[in-house]
């Protein structure tokens, strides 16, 4: 009887390789949007904090460092642990940390309390991303590229709301306007309670499937390890430049063209919104030309545009930011799927490294850029940062999908 039930579970499994569970996929993408909208409040507050509390660029860089490094250091750890011990309940618990952090950020009376609050936001992000990425991986079925694009575009769309948050909420309401985003966090917690129940059921079915699957884990060879480390470095470079634009380019626009905070934030919105579109289309483009090609061209084609940006006028800056955002972020979801191919079966750890650690390393760039901006001026700093995408030429040394399969076969 038990054998019959197990066989039935295998036959009726909602995580069959051929099936995509669209409603779960789009719901987890929506929650990713809500989570990253909450995270986006932090850089959105930078112009407000600089004006109202007199923070310099170094202090703002430390705030960005605190939230991103907390998230990045914890994400790989959470990912590795959850690969061995999946924790569906961690999804709503993690967003509860974000809720408390957002409340603290809105009411923080001092720099120290702001740092503590954004660290709570970082903890919430660290506990959300690895498990949520596994939910997206499960729900994707055999459409892994599409599934990862849906999941990641939710996050990028949330990040793109930061400039609108500044213009529509924080400029008129100030720091305390952030309290409205505690309701966003509460909504995300409620949705994740439902997702965690679905996730828990799928884990039971997956355990049954594993009992019927005689495949052994593929050992990881030296070439694969080198490729993975190179990928992490390239994602770090991309995020370093991304941090330069999202955290500091508004100050460049204000200084150079005399724009207001809300006007300057519109430029950042164009960059992030175009990046969200690029994130979604990156997967389908990779299906046609290959993941390695998307990773290479997203940096190679963006590099000359990035170098032109510091010299552009008001109107041309809009055009360049839109183009750079789209091209550069085409590789966002692709880099995650590519990493999953390099290290199959380690979804949590891979997501923690690519989405978490490399982003946190980019946060180190925020401090470096902030300090340099205080020393030589933010416009000059951004001029130097514009050469970062040229490092993307190193993508040529990554193996393509066919070579990855060959490397895994050699290690069996």
């Amino acid at each position: 009887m038990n054998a019959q039930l197990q066989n039935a579970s295998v036959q009726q499994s909602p995580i069959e390789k051929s099936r995509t569970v669209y409603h779960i996929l789009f719901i987890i993408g929506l929650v990713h949007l809500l989570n990253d909208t909450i995270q986006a409040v932090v850089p959105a507050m930078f112009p407000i904090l600089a004006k109202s509390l007199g923070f310099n660029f170094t202090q703002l860089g430390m705030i960005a460092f605190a939230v991103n490094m907390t998230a990045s250091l914890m994400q790989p750890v959470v990912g590795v642990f959850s690969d061995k011990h999946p924790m569906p309940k961690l999804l709503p618990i993690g967003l509860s940390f974000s809720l408390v952090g957002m409340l603290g950020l809105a009411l923080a009376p001092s720099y120290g309390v702001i740092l503590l609050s954004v660290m709570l936001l970082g903890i919430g992000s660290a506990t959300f991303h690895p498990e949520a990425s596994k939910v997206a991986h499960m729900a994707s079925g055999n459409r892994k590229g599409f599934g990862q694009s849906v999941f990641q575009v939710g996050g990028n769309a949330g990040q793109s709301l930061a400039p609108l948050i500044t213009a529509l909420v924080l400029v008129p309401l100030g720091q305390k306007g952030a309290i409205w985003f505690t309701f966003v966090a509460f909504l995300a917690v409620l949705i994740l309670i439902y997702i965690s129940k679905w996730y828990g059921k799928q884990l039971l079915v997956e355990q049954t499937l594993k009992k019927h699957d005689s495949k052994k884990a593929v050992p990881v060879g030296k070439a694969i390890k080198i490729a993975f480390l190179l990928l992490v470095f390239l994602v770090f470079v991309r995020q370093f430049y991304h941090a330069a634009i999202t955290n500091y380019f508004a100050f460049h626009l204000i200084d150079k063209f005399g724009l207001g905070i809300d006007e300057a934030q519109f430029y950042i919105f164009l960059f992030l919104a175009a990046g969200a579109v690029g994130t979604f289309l990156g997967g389908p483009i990779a299906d046609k030309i290959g993941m390695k090609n998307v990773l290479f061209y997203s940096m190679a084609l963006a590099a000359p545009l990035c170098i032109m940006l510091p010299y552009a006028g008001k109107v041309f800056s809009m055009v360049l930011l839109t183009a750079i955002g789209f091209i550069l972020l085409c590789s966002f979801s692709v880099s995650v799927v590519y990493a999953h191919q390099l290290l199959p079966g380690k979804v949590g750890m891979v997501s923690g490294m690519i989405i978490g650690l490399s982003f946190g390393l980019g946060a180190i760039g925020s401090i470096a850029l902030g300090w340099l901006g205080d020393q030589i001026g933010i416009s000059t700093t951004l001029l130097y940062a514009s050469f970062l995408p040229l490092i993307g030429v190193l993508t040529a040394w990554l193996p393509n999908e066919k070579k990855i399969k060959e490397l895994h076969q050699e290690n069996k």
Side-chain angles (χ1 to χ4, degrees):
M1 185 66 178
N2 288 336
Q4 290 177 344
L5 288 173
Q6 287 181 341
N7 289 333
S9 297
V10 172
Q11 292 172 359
Q12 299 174 7
S13 168
I15 55 170
E16 292 176 74
K17 291 183 179 179
S18 61
R19 184 180 175 189
T20 302
V21 189
Y22 288 99
H23 76 283
I24 293 295
L25 189 57
F26 285 109
I27 289 174
I28 198 65
L30 171 63
V31 180
H32 198 187
L33 184 151
L34 297 177
N35 177 81
D36 282 31
T37 298
I38 295 167
Q39 299 293 313
V41 173
V42 178
M45 288 188 72
F46 281 2
I48 306 299
L49 296 173
K51 185 177 180 179
S52 62
L53 299 178
F55 292 164
N56 59 32
F57 291 125
T58 303
Q59 288 174 307
L60 295 178
M62 279 299 298
I63 294 173
F65 176 81
V67 62
N68 288 308
M69 275 309 283
T70 304
S72 70
L73 290 176
M74 288 188 63
Q75 273 196 53
V77 176
V78 172
V80 170
F81 185 81
S82 68
D83 281 338
K84 297 179 179 179
H85 309 283
M87 300 172 286
K89 292 182 180 179
L90 198 60
L91 287 167
I93 291 173
L95 262 293
S96 297
F97 277 97
S98 295
L99 193 157
V100 175
M102 185 54 62
L103 184 63
L105 184 61
L107 304 177
S110 65
Y111 185 66
V113 176
I114 287 176
L115 287 177
L116 177 60
S117 298
V118 299
M119 288 176 70
L120 288 174
L121 291 173
I123 292 172
S125 180
T127 52
F128 168 78
H129 279 102
E131 289 293 85
S133 187
K134 288 167 70 176
V135 170
H137 188 79
M138 279 184 173
S140 297
N142 65 346
R143 303 189 66 186
K144 301 301 182 189
F146 171 78
Q148 201 57 230
S149 290
V150 170
F151 177 65
Q152 297 298 347
V153 78
N156 280 17
Q159 292 173 20
S160 72
L161 294 176
L164 298 182
I165 291 169
T166 301
L168 301 178
V169 180
L170 299 179
V171 169
L173 299 179
Q175 179 183 345
K176 291 186 178 179
I179 200 167
W180 287 101
F181 295 94
T182 59
F183 297 103
V184 176
F186 182 68
L187 175 61
V189 170
L190 293 180
I191 297 174
L192 285 176
I193 291 173
Y194 167 74
I195 289 290
S196 66
K197 291 179 180 179
W198 180 88
Y199 180 24
K201 291 178 182 178
Q202 307 321 302
L203 288 173
L204 293 176
V205 177
E206 193 176 62
Q207 290 171 3
T208 303
L209 288 171
K210 285 182 178 179
K211 292 178 182 178
H212 294 263
D213 192 351
S214 59
K215 292 182 181 179
K216 295 182 179 180
V218 179
V220 180
K222 182 179 179 180
I224 291 292
K225 291 178 181 178
I226 292 173
F228 183 73
L229 291 175
L230 177 57
L231 178 67
V232 171
F233 173 71
L234 290 168
V235 173
F236 154 64
V237 171
R238 185 188 68 204
Q239 292 311 124
F240 197 149
Y241 183 77
H242 191 274
I245 298 298
T246 55
N247 291 341
Y248 301 112
F249 196 75
F251 294 102
H252 164 76
L253 293 169
I254 292 169
D255 291 343
K256 186 174 181 179
F257 302 117
L259 301 182
I261 293 176
D262 51 348
E263 292 177 294
Q265 289 297 317
F266 178 72
Y267 285 72
I268 310 304
F269 169 73
L270 290 176
F271 172 77
L272 294 171
V277 176
T279 296
F280 183 73
L281 295 180
I285 293 172
D287 290 338
K288 293 184 178 297
I289 69 172
M291 287 188 287
K292 177 182 174 179
N293 287 331
V294 171
L295 293 172
F296 177 80
Y297 288 117
S298 70
M299 298 283 269
L301 296 178
L305 303 181
C306 296
I307 294 171
M308 293 167 62
L309 183 60
Y311 302 100
K314 285 198 295 185
V315 176
F316 195 41
S317 290
M318 290 185 183
V319 176
L320 287 175
L321 282 169
T322 303
I324 292 169
F326 177 82
I327 296 170
L328 200 63
L329 272 296
C330 270
S331 64
F332 194 95
S333 60
V334 175
S335 60
V336 179
V337 179
Y338 182 85
H340 287 162
Q341 285 205 2
L342 287 173
L343 299 176
K346 299 181 180 180
V347 178
M349 187 273 284
V350 165
S351 298
M353 289 287 287
I354 298 298
I355 303 175
L357 182 60
S358 55
F359 278 45
L361 293 173
I364 296 176
S366 292
I367 290 186
L369 290 167
W371 177 83
L372 197 59
D374 284 332
Q375 307 305 311
I376 64 175
I378 202 65
S379 292
T380 305
T381 299
L382 290 170
L383 175 62
Y384 293 150
S386 68
F387 290 93
L388 283 169
L390 288 174
I391 299 174
V393 69
L394 295 176
T395 308
W397 277 267
L398 288 173
N400 58 27
E401 292 93 313
K402 182 180 178 181
K403 183 62 177 179
I404 291 173
K405 290 180 181 179
E406 292 175 357
L407 290 171
H408 283 314
Q409 287 295 329
E410 292 172 3
N411 292 323
K412 283 186 177 180

